[in-house]
């Protein structure tokens, strides 16, 4: 396969904050109604760990709760995220569809590798019609390790990717690129952190900057 571009989803293509606070508050309201939580919804705590797999989210936000409660909370949160997407409460970052059209026209093969769960990713892909350009979407729940580097490795192996890029906003995306001999493009968006972005090969402030990087950077694994 010629060059490929592997995109993260949350905080890179999808503006997660447009549904995050609503879904999280709905979830913690349920916990409050069950007597399992007191006080405000920990939205800031979630933002600080945005991008990690959901099991780690609930270990962090509900450290003193039983596993069964965390699992039930995870399931309810997922349903609220999906329903908010289907209701049109979410949004893509500006220029996503234009970028996909341009890169597809340039001959790049596009993928998504995300820490999001399959129903969540399917809701986004379907609602915004992104499958027109994305060859395949990979979810972290497809691998036992919960390591994005291993997830990207599956794409690289299946499609025999020789040259390519990983585009994302967090360190896990940058490390996944490095582990697979790909170029890391860091997105300086809502949940990104400067100390993490400094480890990327390139940094963009808007998605429209990506094609110029791709056309000037030749990758050799």
């Amino acid at each position: 396969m010629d060059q490929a571009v592997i995109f993260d989803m949350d905080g890179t293509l999808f503006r997660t904050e447009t549904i995050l606070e609503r879904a999280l508050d709905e979830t913690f309201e349920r916990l409050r109604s069950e007597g399992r939580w007191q006080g405000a919804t920990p939205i800031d705590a979630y933002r600080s760990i945005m991008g990690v797999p959901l099991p780690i989210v609930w270990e962090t936000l509900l450290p003193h709760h039983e596993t069964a409660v965390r699992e039930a909370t995870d399931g309810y949160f997922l349903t609220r995220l999906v329903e908010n997407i289907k209701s049109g409460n979410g949004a893509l970052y500006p220029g996503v569809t234009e970028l996909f059209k341009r890169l597809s026209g340039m001959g790049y093969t596009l993928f998504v590798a995300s820490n999001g769960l399959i129903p969540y990713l399917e809701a986004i892909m379907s609602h915004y019609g992104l499958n027109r350009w994305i060859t395949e979407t990979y979810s972290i729940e497809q691998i036992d390790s919960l390591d994005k580097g291993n997830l990207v490795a599956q794409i690289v192996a299946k499609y025999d990717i020789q040259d390519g890029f990983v585009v994302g906003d967090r360190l896990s995306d940058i490390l996944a690129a490095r582990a697979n001999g790909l170029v890391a493009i860091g997105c300086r968006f809502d949940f990104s952190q400067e100390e993490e972005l400094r480890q990327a090969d390139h940094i963009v402030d808007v998605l429209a900057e990506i094609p110029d990087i791709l056309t000037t950077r030749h990758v050799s694994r």
Side-chain angles (χ1 to χ4, degrees):
M1 174 180 285
D2 291 331
Q3 288 192 356
V5 186
I6 302 170
F7 290 91
D8 174 45
M9 179 61 81
D10 289 315
T12 300
L13 300 176
F14 185 68
R15 292 184 56 201
T16 315
E17 81 280 2
T18 58
I19 63 168
L20 173 62
E21 186 167 353
R22 181 192 297 261
L24 199 64
D25 198 46
E26 290 168 346
T27 300
F28 274 84
E29 180 57 36
R30 186 188 192 194
L31 288 171
R32 283 188 285 264
S33 70
E34 295 171 344
R36 300 182 184 276
W37 185 262
Q38 294 182 348
T41 300
I43 183 67
D44 290 336
Y46 191 9
R47 285 174 176 159
S48 69
I49 58 171
M50 184 66 193
V52 303
L54 281 175
I56 298 176
V57 167
W58 302 117
E59 289 174 9
T60 304
L61 299 187
L62 302 174
H64 305 300
H65 290 67
E66 297 177 354
T67 300
V69 174
R70 292 178 189 163
E71 290 177 349
T73 302
D74 183 39
Y76 185 74
F77 181 60
L78 178 61
T79 63
R80 298 317 309 151
L81 287 172
V82 169
E83 287 305 312
N84 275 286
I85 293 166
K86 291 180 177 179
S87 298
N89 293 324
L92 298 176
Y93 278 95
V96 169
T97 56
E98 293 82 1
L99 175 65
F100 285 178
K101 289 177 184 176
R102 183 173 178 187
L103 295 185
S104 295
M106 294 166 63
Y108 288 91
T109 305
L110 311 182
F111 300 91
V112 166
S114 171
N115 283 335
L117 301 185
I118 291 173
Y120 170 72
L121 296 174
E122 288 179 343
I124 295 173
M125 300 298 289
S126 175
H127 186 78
Y128 296 101
L130 300 183
N131 284 318
R132 288 172 287 174
W133 302 287
I134 300 296
T135 295
E136 192 167 358
T137 299
Y138 282 71
S139 164
I140 200 67
E141 67 176 307
Q142 294 173 239
I143 58 172
D144 294 332
S145 68
L146 300 182
D147 185 324
K148 184 168 275 191
N150 293 337
L151 188 64
V152 169
Q154 285 194 353
I155 304 174
V156 170
K158 178 177 179 179
Y159 291 92
D160 190 27
I161 296 171
Q162 302 300 314
D163 294 325
F165 303 78
V166 175
V167 180
D169 67 317
R170 298 306 302 267
L171 184 60
S172 61
D173 305 301
I174 297 167
L175 295 181
R178 184 180 303 165
N180 289 280
L182 307 178
V183 173
I185 300 177
C187 297
R188 189 180 278 120
F189 295 168
D190 296 288
F191 298 104
S192 64
Q193 298 182 16
E194 285 299 314
E195 63 272 21
E196 295 182 356
L197 291 177
R198 282 195 289 269
Q199 299 190 48
D201 297 298
H202 302 273
I203 301 173
V204 298
D205 293 302
V206 292
L207 292 172
E209 297 173 8
I210 291 175
D212 287 341
I213 294 173
L214 270 56
T215 55
T216 57
R217 176 75 182 246
H218 177 72
V219 190
S220 295
R221 291 181 61 205

